[in-house]
Amino acid sequence: MTLAPATPRRALRRHDREILALALPAFGALVAEPLFVMVDSAVIGHLGTRQLAGLGVAAALLTTAVSVFVFLAYATTAAVARRVGAGDLPAAIRQGMDGIWLALLLGAAVVAVVLPTAPWLVELFGASPSAAPYATTYLRISTLGIPAMLIVLAATGVLRGLQDTRTPLYVAIGGFTANAALNAGLVYLAGLGIAGSAWGTVLAQCGMAAVYLTVVVRGARRHGASLRPDAAGIRACAQAGVPLLIRTLSLRAVLMIATAVAARLGDAEVAAHQIVLSLWSLLSFALDAIAIAGQAIIGRYLGAGDRDGARAACRRMAQWGIASGIVLGALVVLARPLFIPLFTSDPAVRQPLFTTLLVVAATQPVAGIVFILDGVLMGAGDGPYLAGAMVVTLAAFVPAALAVPALGGGLVALWWAMALMMTVRMLTLWLRTRSGRWIVTGASR
């Protein structure tokens, strides 16, 4: 990042309050999201092993389908925040509506593709003959909720851009509660089995989407913003989302390749790898919450034409990222004796897991910088650079990961390759923020 005069203590405190006010509710909302699948797993687990196996396959497919479109939240946050910074709330909400219309169109397209191909997709993901019917049933019903899921993503981006992360937290808590109640009622009381669980999730997602739409529509009417679909605006949202889609797909490829390599190392190693990934995901929620705050804050500063404010906010959030990474890394080291027994009692799994967690701990300060700078550049609308940087990172990771089994390495070596991947990401993001080329002011980039 470009050097600037030291920020006064009062300004630092202002940045800290703003980061906390946005990041803490965002963290709560992020943690609430994976609880949907956990509730489904807990309810369906009592039906039988075949049903639970079917849920596992269907949930993996649904998670992949939805996570690919996470750019709906990221791109919308940045675009809306810029217009908020420029003092044009009607245009900000209008931009958000374009993102919501795009989400609806993409959701309809996904439904049209997945419904007829559900049995083939389930087979492609390796479901056993006994689990496949349950997976197909759950996938087909849950697919009907994908438009609502994508609307939730886009509408969340709208509210984040408006500097509101509390409403998404409340909606997430309400959605989780409704999902748990509907699942229990439809599965057990109504006797619908795995189909009841799927319908419960669909109804909960539709309820969340309805709440978001109510909030956004009220804001649009209050500020005189049009609710009608605008072809040019929807097209602009899609164009802004393409680079972030490439970034997301590249990141997903890293995780898939890592899992594939771990599977070649043996059953104990791949089991340990899945446990490490679950912890990695949990740690990422804390860092991603600060990154979300960064998207909203940076977008607003740039929209207001405040270059110095954007630089100062970037610098402060980077400090938050490093400090958070150090704290999380220390917690991983200290919590290892408590964390490992929760997941496995097998010594063959514990041994590589114990050492690999040290690598994860050592990587957390790097991860802190990566998440925060990633959020800063998203808030600046610097999607094309993020896409290119992630492709470069993927190109660096693939040979390192593939060399692990070829050279007789184990799970620890694989996670050192993951550490290399994060280091490359950090360098590419740091070079960009240091150059200052991401600082483009105005209501639109």
Side-chain angles (χ1 to χ4, degrees):
M1 288 161 287
T2 304
L3 295 176
T7 307
R9 188 179 298 275
R10 183 177 299 176
L12 287 176
R13 287 199 295 268
R14 186 182 71 249
H15 285 310
D16 291 343
R17 286 195 299 269
E18 192 170 32
I19 293 168
L20 277 173
L22 292 171
L24 287 178
F27 176 71
L30 288 170
V31 171
E33 291 174 7
L35 293 179
F36 273 79
V37 176
M38 290 180 63
V39 167
D40 289 3
S41 299
V43 172
I44 292 175
H46 292 285
L47 296 178
T49 301
R50 292 175 298 173
Q51 290 90 333
L52 187 59
L55 170 67
V57 172
L61 284 162
L62 286 166
T63 300
T64 300
V66 175
S67 64
V68 164
F69 298 110
V70 73
F71 69 83
L72 288 167
Y74 294 157
T76 304
T77 297
V80 171
R82 275 184 175 271
R83 285 157 178 79
V84 169
D88 193 348
L89 281 177
I93 296 174
R94 172 67 262 176
Q95 180 74 38
M97 285 304 306
D98 290 336
I100 291 173
W101 280 112
L102 175 61
L104 184 61
L105 292 173
L106 291 173
V110 173
V111 171
V113 171
V114 174
L115 278 181
T117 61
W120 177 78
L121 291 171
V122 165
E123 182 181 355
L124 181 67
F125 265 59
S128 67
S130 60
Y134 297 105
T136 301
T137 296
Y138 189 93
L139 180 60
R140 276 184 165 156
I141 296 173
S142 295
T143 296
L144 299 176
I146 285 182
M149 295 181 196
L150 299 190
I151 288 173
V152 166
L153 282 177
T156 300
V158 175
L159 295 182
R160 288 173 181 171
L162 293 170
Q163 317 296 297
D164 176 9
T165 56
R166 290 183 178 271
T167 300
L169 172 61
Y170 300 146
V171 174
I173 293 173
F176 166 72
T177 304
N179 182 55
L182 287 167
N183 266 261
L186 294 175
V187 171
Y188 297 127
L189 297 181
L192 296 180
I194 195 170
S197 178
W199 280 117
T201 300
V202 169
L203 291 173
Q205 292 285 356
C206 288
M208 292 172 67
V211 172
Y212 273 121
L213 289 175
T214 299
V215 172
V216 174
V217 168
R218 283 178 179 173
R221 288 175 175 169
R222 187 182 310 120
H223 295 285
S226 174
L227 297 173
R228 294 180 180 179
D230 176 66
I234 295 172
R235 186 164 53 251
C237 287
Q239 291 171 346
V242 168
L244 295 180
L245 174 62
I246 294 172
R247 168 201 168 273
T248 300
L249 290 175
S250 299
L251 184 56
R252 295 288 299 182
V254 166
L255 299 177
M256 290 175 65
I257 291 169
T259 299
V261 170
R264 295 177 61 185
L265 300 177
D267 290 345
E269 284 76 8
V270 74
H273 176 73
Q274 290 304 315
I275 295 172
V276 175
L277 271 183
S278 67
L279 177 62
W280 181 273
S281 298
L282 179 62
L283 296 172
S284 72
F285 288 141
L287 299 174
D288 205 24
I290 305 174
I292 287 169
Q295 294 171 31
I297 293 169
I298 293 297
R300 192 190 73 234
Y301 273 119
L302 294 178
D306 189 349
R307 302 171 69 92
D308 291 337
R311 287 192 185 94
C314 175
R315 185 182 306 106
R316 190 57 174 170
M317 282 182 285
Q319 292 168 353
W320 271 72
I322 296 171
S324 299
I326 292 172
V327 171
L328 292 174
L331 287 175
V332 170
V333 174
L334 295 174
R336 279 186 309 163
L338 301 174
F339 175 78
I340 294 175
L342 292 176
F343 287 88
T344 181
S345 58
D346 186 348
V349 178
R350 285 189 173 195
Q351 194 280 325
L353 183 58
F354 194 81
T355 309
T356 302
L357 288 176
L358 290 177
V359 181
V360 172
T363 310
Q364 288 311 297
V366 174
I369 299 174
V370 167
F371 273 82
I372 273 58
L373 296 187
D374 201 46
V376 165
L377 295 183
M378 282 186 189
D382 205 9
Y385 182 84
L386 288 171
M390 197 61 227
V391 170
V392 169
T393 301
L394 175 62
F397 172 73
V398 170
L402 296 181
V404 171
L407 297 177
L411 187 65
V412 174
L414 174 60
W415 274 87
W416 277 121
M418 291 286 285
L420 170 66
M421 178 271 295
M422 293 299 291
T423 302
V424 173
R425 284 189 74 188
M426 180 186 70
L427 290 174
T428 57
L429 297 173
W430 177 77
L431 287 172
R432 185 62 168 182
T433 52
R434 185 176 182 274
S435 72
R437 294 177 184 174
W438 56 280
I439 302 178
V440 179
T441 58
S444 61
R445 186 177 173 90

